[in-house]
Amino acid sequence: MSSRSYYLAPLDTRPALKRAKVANYMVQNSYNVDTRDYRDHTFSGIMFDIHCKDDLPMEYIEIREIWVRGNLGPMTVWTTPNTFQNKRQSRREWKLVHNKRHCPSMQKLKSLKIEPPIRMRNGESLGMYVHSGLNDDMGIVYNNRRGNVTFEDPHMTILPGYAHISNDPFSAFGYWGGGSWRANREFVGRVTYGVKWMLWNPCKKVHHKFPEGFKQMILTLLMCHRRKESPLKKLPHVVLYYIFNMLPWDWAGEVDVKKKIKKIEENKHVSCREESVAYRRSQYVPYEVPYEMRFGYMDDDDDDDDDDDDDDEESDDEDYEPEEDED
């Protein structure tokens, strides 16, 4: 019987050199952010900031829908980079991302689709303005501010902002005249978004964004790869990098990160009373009889706290026509 010799061809590692930088998919199970709903006020609009966290290796989050409730009508949604601060009456600094007429929906949240979806990279912030053009005080529902944060999850933070009591977007003049902005208000509704995750690559600016457990796993396997008796020694290092590149960020368990996420989830269930009392104590000022009461009449708007402090901002209004909602 003749003996045969076998030849193992060199392993082609060229495909492993072409590592992806981000996942080639968007998380299909979209995250839904549901803020607290105490039904404090209704009026024309709410302006607030959203911050994308940088604790996890996200390439970006993609906001697809904003959900609100109220009598709605001609609804518009606007965004601006970084923050809404000092931009409340400057329409030229905002981008219109939704413009349709919607049927009343006072009890159930109504979806306002963002077109195109808004992308926020790791650590970025943006200002959001949701407005109803109805000529009354029942456009959308919003809350009094009850803390420094309206909502927080592992990916984003929604902050308090200002309510708007004018059916004209960005107008400085209120429904009954006078100022149109009310400070210390919170968005009520839902934000639907997806996440595009970053993939590991052997460069410092990417590696340091991954959790500590993941980084320790990489280091341990690379040390094993250098030992002659290790089975990993048979793999070219580029192949090992390719395997690391395909692992999700939480492959190593990430106990510390999951504990942090659990703590955030638990903080959502703080009772309304505890939050409200803590905030009111921190904001306490001696009561003074309102100017209107001294003369026997009161401002009868639904949002009765006239705390406008930016009436002198320059208004930059333009005409707009809402599209009809297909529903």
Side-chain angles (χ1 to χ4, degrees), residues 175-300:
Y175 189 73
W176 291 279
S180 63
W181 299 98
R182 301 290 186 267
N184 297 319
R185 301 296 186 264
E186 291 184 339
F187 168 71
V188 168
R190 179 183 303 159
V191 178
T192 300
Y193 67 96
V195 177
K196 176 76 80 171
W197 293 103
M198 189 178 294
L199 297 180
W200 184 89
N201 272 285
C203 55
K204 185 176 181 180
K205 66 179 182 180
V206 174
H207 178 74
H208 87 276
K209 291 185 178 180
F210 280 73
E212 192 61 32
F214 193 97
K215 292 187 286 188
Q216 290 296 327
M217 177 189 71
I218 297 289
L219 179 60
T220 301
L221 291 175
L222 288 176
M223 289 191 295
C224 291
H225 182 259
R226 295 177 64 88
R227 299 181 67 90
K228 292 181 180 181
E229 64 272 21
S230 172
L232 292 176
K233 183 66 176 177
K234 299 178 182 180
L235 290 176
H237 71 278
V238 291
V239 174
L240 201 59
Y241 285 171
Y242 188 79
I243 294 172
F244 297 157
N245 179 254
M246 291 291 100
L247 299 178
W249 68 270
D250 58 350
W251 186 260
E254 311 309 340
V255 176
D256 293 340
V257 176
K258 290 181 178 179
K259 283 182 178 179
K260 184 176 181 180
I261 292 174
K262 184 178 179 181
K263 185 175 181 181
I264 291 173
E265 295 290 336
E266 290 173 350
N267 287 341
K268 295 178 188 177
H269 303 294
V270 176
S271 69
C272 167
R273 178 177 176 79
E274 290 174 349
E275 271 189 321
S276 180
V277 170
Y279 175 72
R280 291 176 186 276
R281 285 176 178 171
S282 67
Q283 300 293 318
Y284 173 75
V285 292
Y287 178 76
E288 182 179 352
V289 177
Y291 178 83
E292 293 84 354
M293 288 184 65
R294 301 173 192 172
F295 295 89
Y297 67 93
M298 283 295 292
D299 181 9
D300 59 351

Side-chain angles (χ1 to χ4, degrees), residues 5 51 98-99 108 110 117 125 174 192 196 229 250 255 289:
S5 59
H51 175 69
H98 180 90
N99 184 17
K108 294 184 178 180
K110 181 76 173 180
S125 298
T192 300
K196 176 76 80 171
E229 64 272 21
D250 58 350
V255 176
V289 177

Side-chain angles (χ1 to χ4, degrees), residues 9-20 236-242:
L11 182 64
D12 185 4
T13 60
R14 287 177 295 177
L17 294 174
K18 300 178 181 179
R19 294 183 298 271
H237 71 278
V238 291
V239 174
L240 201 59
Y241 285 171
Y242 188 79

Side-chain angles (χ1 to χ4, degrees), residues 43-46 68-78 100-102 112 129-141 164-169 320 322:
F43 227 110
S44 297
I46 184 72
V68 293
R69 64 184 186 88
N71 282 345
L72 305 181
M75 296 294 300
T76 54
V77 180
W78 312 70
K100 288 184 179 180
R101 182 178 295 274
H102 294 269
L112 311 179
Y129 177 38
V130 185
H131 184 268
S132 167
L134 283 182
N135 192 26
D136 61 27
D137 61 355
M138 299 291 287
I140 62 173
V141 175
H164 197 206
I165 61 168
S166 171
N167 63 342
D168 184 14
Y320 77 99

